[in-house]
Amino acid sequence: MISLHSILAAGGALQSLPKLFGIASGILLAIAFAIGFLKGFRKVNWNGLTWATAAGLFLLISRSINPEGSVTKRFVYAMLIALVCIAGVLALYGVLAYYLRPRVRWIKDDVNGDTSLAEYGLEFEPEYLDYDGEHDWWPYGKRIYKTGFGTPSFAFRMLGGITCVINVGIILWVIASAGLVFINSFGVLNNKFGALLNGEIVQKFLHLAQVALLETVSIGVVILVAKKGYVNGWLNTIRMMIFSIGSTGVIIVCMYLPFSSLATSVGILTRFVNRCISLLDGRVPFLVNVMGKLLAGAILSGLGVVAMFGLNMVLKHCCRLVSNSAPTRMVDAILSCGLYMLIGAGICVGIWFVLAALDYVELFNISNAMSYEGAHLSNGMYNFAYKLVEKLVSKI
């Protein structure tokens, strides 16, 4: 069987792949600009623009600051700078989205034409003298009110095209950078596809990837998770965590209680377990004690799950109350965004843990994957993850 490497190497095709990728990227960017120009800035996706802005702002600030101290201290500084940059860009994104993104919402309206919609609610016309308070809402309904769906101006078309170019461009850059970095870092790949790294332009591209790729990806992960948290809401997230994790914990604890020392020291629990054992006495001749405790655990688990369902209903009602008011809904979303940013940072540390583990077994050379010069975030994450891997391996 002919290998892929043999096919690519024939006629120097392997060395021409960067040019082919550049041509394909140029075509995709041209198509992206055309789509963005037709749709306008309001209607195109802003995720790539947000990601690129936050990553660029972080790289600019973090490279200009050189804090003294240990690697851990520099890592903490870099992480705080990254979170501040992400929070600032997301705040700007939220403000611009509120005023510029197309919106569809239900508004109160009169179906009979007897009222007009004022800025702050319903306003009754003076001619309508037969208004009866007992039929307050009977003549009224709701209608869809759309904003931002009109024909975009030339300036917004240009902004839309540029935004789409940035959205596609950062994805292409991450794909190309990741490919070059992994070829340069994995010994097996470097042996087979090392010819791809030849050339002055490719080497400059590789150097840029080593400096910024891993930190840019980390910031993208945090932004993605934070936006998910903004949609879910803080109170709703807490509710889901309590119900999912709490229900599992309640079942485990309730099944363990009849077998623990508490079953003999707590009077009400002791009486309950003995009653369950006595119910099976004479009916189950073997393992009466064990089966009785299992029955007690099952009953306690059922009661615990019912209690968790009740708590879930209370929290769900609280979520509805929060969502009914714009100020509370905004505060809830902001708190959730902050919580999910921390979760995203934890996910990034997990990714670095995998890379550090690959480096520990000498499968992936992390030093070829990034440049330590000014990369306090990458350097700190790597050192933390590598030390964690060493501790785990030492205990095995």
Side-chain angles (χ1 to χ4, degrees), residues 4-186:
L4 176 62
H5 174 66
S6 300
I7 297 175
L8 293 175
L14 191 62
Q15 290 83 350
S16 64
L17 277 182
K19 294 182 180 179
L20 295 176
F21 182 82
I23 294 173
S25 299
I27 295 174
L28 289 176
L29 292 176
I31 295 174
F33 180 83
I35 294 175
F37 186 84
L38 292 175
K39 297 179 68 174
F41 181 64
R42 289 187 171 190
K43 300 177 185 178
V44 298
N45 193 294
W46 296 356
N47 290 335
L49 178 62
T50 305
W51 181 13
T53 303
L57 185 62
F58 166 74
L59 292 174
L60 180 64
I61 296 176
S62 63
R63 295 306 189 269
S64 62
I65 298 176
N66 189 20
E68 299 179 355
S70 63
V71 174
T72 303
K73 184 178 180 180
R74 294 197 298 270
F75 165 65
V76 172
Y77 273 114
M79 179 61 74
L80 291 176
I81 293 173
L83 294 178
V84 170
C85 291
I86 293 171
V89 171
L90 288 179
L92 179 61
Y93 169 86
V95 173
L96 292 178
Y98 180 80
Y99 287 103
L100 296 179
R101 297 294 284 179
R103 301 175 64 190
V104 178
R105 64 181 186 274
W106 289 95
I107 63 171
K108 299 174 184 178
D109 195 18
D110 174 29
V111 296
N112 295 326
D114 293 325
T115 65
S116 62
L117 183 67
E119 183 178 1
Y120 297 103
L122 289 170
E123 183 182 65
F124 292 94
E125 296 289 348
E127 296 81 8
Y128 188 45
L129 302 177
D130 298 328
Y131 169 71
D132 187 353
E134 294 181 357
H135 303 286
D136 194 359
W137 292 103
W138 285 106
Y140 309 107
K142 290 184 178 181
R143 66 181 175 88
I144 293 179
Y145 182 69
K146 297 182 180 180
T147 57
F149 287 90
T151 303
S153 62
F154 179 78
F156 272 27
R157 289 187 185 275
M158 290 297 297
L159 285 175
I162 295 172
T163 301
C164 281
V165 168
I166 295 175
N167 290 343
V168 176
I170 191 171
I171 295 175
L172 291 175
W173 179 80
V174 168
I175 293 174
S177 299
L180 293 178
V181 164
F182 273 81
I183 289 174
N184 191 49
S185 303
F186 277 100

Side-chain angles (χ1 to χ4, degrees), residues 373-384:
E373 183 179 356
H376 305 304
L377 182 61
S378 298
N379 193 10
M381 280 188 175
Y382 168 70
N383 280 277
F384 174 78

Side-chain angles (χ1 to χ4, degrees), residues 278-299:
S278 63
L279 288 175
L280 298 179
D281 191 15
R283 296 180 176 84
V284 183
F286 300 102
L287 303 176
V288 175
N289 189 45
V290 175
M291 295 298 292
K293 291 182 177 180
L294 288 176
L295 176 61
I299 295 174

